[in-house]
Every structure is written in C-alpha cells, then in structure tokens.
C-alpha cells in the first residue's frame, strides 16, 4: 500500500528503465507466443539472480 503524502507532495517511486528484452518477452507472452509458465520461469529467474525484486 502506498503511503499518502501531503497535498503538495507526491509519493516517491524508484523508476528504472525496463530493458527491451523484458518488454519483448512480455509482448510474446501477451500474444500467446510463449506460455504463461515460460514467462513466469523467466521472471522467477530474474528474481533469483536479483536482477529484479
């Protein structure tokens, strides 16, 4: 849950650029060209190697 700030402040976010290969893989999954399991395995691997949290 995001904490709410005052009216004059915005919540802070830590944005980073999403690599193109991640976008392509997500696009392939959304088009049904790779299975949900394959996509999930890729995400789990990235978490395991701490590339994403």
């Amino acid at each position: 849950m995001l904490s709410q700030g005052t009216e004059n402040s915005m919540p802070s976010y830590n944005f980073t650029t999403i690599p193109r290969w991640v976008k392509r893989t997500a696009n392939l999954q959304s088009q049904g060209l790779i299975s949900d399991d394959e996509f999930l395995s890729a995400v789990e691997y990235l978490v395991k190697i701490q590339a994403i949290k």
Side-chain angles (χ1 to χ4, degrees), residues 22 37-49 52:
V22 173
D37 289 338
E38 289 172 307
F39 182 72
L40 182 58
S41 292
V43 172
E44 288 173 338
Y45 173 74
L46 293 173
V47 170
K48 182 179 178 179
I49 66 168
I52 60 174

Side-chain angles (χ1 to χ4, degrees), residues 9-21:
S9 68
M10 296 288 292
S12 62
Y13 301 99
N14 184 15
F15 288 102
T16 56
T17 302
I18 300 172
R20 271 188 267 168
W21 67 268

